Amino acid sequence: MSKWTQQQTQTQAKTMYINRDLSWIEFNRRVLEEAQDGSTPLLERIKFLSIVSTNLDEFMSVRVAGITDQLKAGYAKKDFTGYTPEGLLRRIMKRTGKMVQEQYKTFRELSRALAKEGIIFTDNADLTPNQKKLMDHYFHDYVFPVLTPMAVDQSRPFPLVHSLNLYLAVTLLREGDAPDEEPYFAIVQVPSNLPRLIKVPARANSVKQEFVLLEDLIETHIRTMFAGYVPISVDPFRLTRNADLTLDEEGAEDLLEEIEKELKRRRWGSPVRLEVQKGFHPYALDMLKEEFEIGENVFEIDGPIDLSYLMKLSASLPDFDHLRYPRLEPAYPYELEEADDLFEALRRQDVLVYHPYESFDVVCDFIEQAAGDPDVMAIKMTLYRVSGNSTIVSALARAAEAGKQVTAVVELKARFDEERNIAWARQLEKAGCHVVYGLVGLKTHAKILLVVRQEQDGLRRYVHVGTGNYNDNTARLYTDVGLFTSNPVIGEDASVLFNEMTGYSAPHDWQAFGVAPADMKTKLLGLIAREAENAAAGRPARIIAKMNSLSNQEMVDKLYEASRAGVPIELIVRGVCCLKPGVPGYSETISVRSVVDRFLEHSRIFYFENGGDPEVWLSSSDWMTRNLTRRIELMCPVLDPRLKETVIRILRLSLTDNVKARILTPNGQYVRGTAEEPAAPLRSQFEAQRIVTWKRPNDSA
């Protein structure tokens, strides 16, 4: 390749693609905008501010950690978007630094707004004498007994600092030492098993609610731990370590044990980011930077480190519902609300469920009925992220104890849920379930449940496929679509899929499904190519795709090809998007929008016009390389015409949202809806609450 061609290719990469990690930062900025939006209820704004922090923690401990590892290994090759690891890391740190500054500016504004509502973050010095006395008692009764000061000197090496835990760096002088003596140094871990935000007993005749931070209370009493020394500075800090698991799956005799070992190793992951509070003592900062070898990845925080505690605050104020969104009561799907026997109802018709507007209880009820039904022979399902008190796991255990064949494909490598999934796996095995940990080298991310039942005319399969996890907690917070069906073709594909996941089975020619890594990408590329052929031939052509992320280069390039052929393409991508829309000669017919609102948009839905005979698919998969090549993923067609129309209506809502939708511009920036949008405000998540009305046969809207 000539030097000119290389330069042209590099210029094209930066012109035609948006970097995945820089795109993610833009997504987190959209979350921050929700915290800044004055039309959002105040406690909901606090919640969004918390989400910005937890999002950034995961990004740093996984994505930035991976880039840091590339740098340490001397990797300097550019990715398909034109960035080297060094250049990318420099831009990431600059942009996240600005975001954090903006986040804390927003925090100060929201703190003032909360104070006007009677919710006050206070300092120990501002408490009344009686309040101070009560907080002293709280410290000595509940906090002091669990604190452990850890000195650092020649005889006591630097203690292990856990990732994403809050600590206090204490700089001290011995009583009587001159101010210019070299100070002593110690750290104190802020207990993570105590409330971070402590409610202060109310002042006399006051209805205001006051809170102090646990680290501030400890700092007030710091001398109780260092008798004979004078603290000259007490500074909060937090370290982020590399949290990505590196497993030798092929060499592991027992995957569960290998993951448990790796989780312990995670405590010693290499440092990635150091957060210190503004005004940190220089001696203490030098100690930390030397110990962690952190370089320049130090964030100075102008406020409390780690705002994730605001999530609990938002949920813990029962008398402030006027500062929240109105409570949503999910409706039970009307097709099943009168059904005493869910199997009988599903023999008559397929049923589509749209969470959180429709209740996840129907999924739990279906599994519980299957567990107790003497005619059910087998239950098989995948479990990726499960709630802490799962009725589904309990029902599976009861079914196994009743003698049914119960198979659970539990994904032990679901990031940050590994320990919980290990516990569930052991509970299920103890009850007699067949627990499978998936295939070597692949995460099992498909969402599917299969029930095999003996009926008068033989065995019948009932299937549930979804876009989200079998988790009743997230089903109240995420928008996801689930499909119940007894369609025999889908049932046969479901059986084969479980056989592939649990045993030895040759690649299958799927009748209905698209399955990754076997053929889903090939099928999607073929569907996109078909639309391009139809457009070129003058037949109806259109693509609508809703997903969380679009970052696979081959998928992006195929969409560019379809656009050049004249296919109208409307993408609804919540988070990362590496495609640039509206670029002359490449993507003129492509639009990209992101909806960030009360609920996390999580459903993956694909629509292909197919020459006037539309196809609609539900999927567990985003269009990312990891989903298409390194995970077991599933996409399933919606065959019932009425349900297909409901799914199209869901897509149409997102495409006409002009309140919470942001439009991606060719320069990689997101802007609010343009003047071309409908004049009347339309907020898709609020309108979607009418889902039950849409689905009733007499709805003519």
Side-chain angles (χ1 to χ4, degrees), residues 150 152 157-169 185-190 237-242 264-275 287-288 291-292:
M150 294 174 283
V152 179
F158 212 102
L160 174 65
V161 172
H162 295 277
S163 184
L164 300 178
N165 277 216
L166 190 62
Y167 290 81
L168 298 177
F185 180 78
I187 66 172
V188 178
Q189 182 175 0
V190 178
F237 73 92
R238 191 172 71 135
L239 182 70
T240 305
R241 295 184 181 273
N242 186 332
K264 292 176 182 176
R265 292 188 204 113
R266 186 183 270 173
R267 302 174 188 171
W268 286 273
S270 57
V272 177
R273 171 187 62 168
L274 175 64
E275 297 168 280
M287 291 282 289
L288 296 182
E291 171 64 23
F292 302 138

Side-chain angles (χ1 to χ4, degrees), residues 90-288:
R90 188 165 55 247
R91 285 166 177 78
I92 286 173
M93 301 311 287
K94 183 177 180 181
R95 293 191 189 185
T96 53
K98 287 183 178 179
M99 181 188 298
V100 169
Q101 290 178 0
E102 195 175 338
Q103 180 190 15
Y104 277 87
K105 179 182 177 183
T106 305
F107 170 73
R108 290 188 288 275
E109 293 171 356
L110 294 183
S111 296
R112 291 191 289 271
L114 287 170
K116 291 179 181 178
E117 297 287 344
I119 304 167
I120 301 169
F121 303 139
T122 191
D123 188 86
N124 196 70
D126 296 328
L127 300 178
T128 66
N130 185 56
Q131 286 177 315
K132 287 181 180 179
K133 183 179 178 181
L134 293 170
M135 293 312 295
D136 288 346
H137 285 308
Y138 180 86
F139 174 81
H140 288 290
D141 291 346
Y142 296 102
V143 182
F144 180 75
V146 299
L147 295 177
T148 303
M150 294 174 283
V152 179
D153 54 30
Q154 290 181 337
S155 64
R156 289 170 288 195
F158 212 102
L160 174 65
V161 172
H162 295 277
S163 184
L164 300 178
N165 277 216
L166 190 62
Y167 290 81
L168 298 177
V170 187
T171 310
L172 309 117
L173 288 174
R174 195 191 299 270
E175 288 182 353
D177 281 357
D180 58 352
E181 290 278 347
E182 182 175 349
Y184 295 86
F185 180 78
I187 66 172
V188 178
Q189 182 175 0
V190 178
S192 57
N193 53 358
L194 290 176
R196 174 87 184 275
L197 205 58
I198 305 164
K199 188 174 180 181
V200 181
R203 300 169 189 259
N205 303 318
S206 175
V207 295
K208 293 181 178 180
Q209 306 216 23
E210 296 180 78
F211 298 88
V212 296
L213 284 165
L214 178 57
E215 62 264 32
D216 291 342
L217 184 63
I218 295 171
E219 180 181 354
T220 300
H221 297 85
I222 199 72
R223 295 195 68 160
T224 60
M225 286 177 280
F226 297 99
Y229 292 80
V230 179
I232 57 176
S233 184
V234 181
D235 303 299
F237 73 92
R238 191 172 71 135
L239 182 70
T240 305
R241 295 184 181 273
N242 186 332
D244 216 9
L245 296 181
T246 53
L247 293 169
D248 177 17
E249 292 187 51
E250 293 189 11
E253 293 184 11
D254 188 319
L255 184 59
L256 187 146
E257 289 185 6
E258 185 66 22
I259 290 176
E260 287 182 316
K261 291 176 185 176
E262 194 62 34
L263 288 174
K264 292 176 182 176
R265 292 188 204 113
R266 186 183 270 173
R267 302 174 188 171
W268 286 273
S270 57
V272 177
R273 171 187 62 168
L274 175 64
E275 297 168 280
V276 299
Q277 205 161 64
K278 188 175 182 180
F280 208 87
H281 194 280
Y283 179 83
L285 184 56
D286 287 343
M287 291 282 289
L288 296 182

Side-chain angles (χ1 to χ4, degrees), residues 296-309:
E296 300 303 315
N297 294 357
V298 179
F299 286 72
E300 188 178 67
I301 305 298
D302 189 8
I305 294 174
D306 179 18
L307 296 179
S308 62
Y309 70 88

Side-chain angles (χ1 to χ4, degrees), residues 480-536:
D480 273 306
V481 182
L483 172 69
F484 288 98
T485 181
S486 61
N487 182 290
V489 173
I490 291 176
E492 288 177 22
D493 271 5
S495 288
V496 174
L497 177 59
F498 277 103
N499 288 344
E500 286 199 0
M501 288 190 287
T502 63
Y504 296 110
S505 183
H508 182 64
D509 185 12
W510 304 100
Q511 300 178 77
F513 288 172
V515 176
D519 76 332
M520 182 187 289
K521 186 169 76 168
T522 302
K523 181 166 284 189
L524 286 168
L525 292 173
L527 291 170
I528 296 170
R530 185 186 65 189
E531 295 303 311
E533 291 169 5
N534 285 340

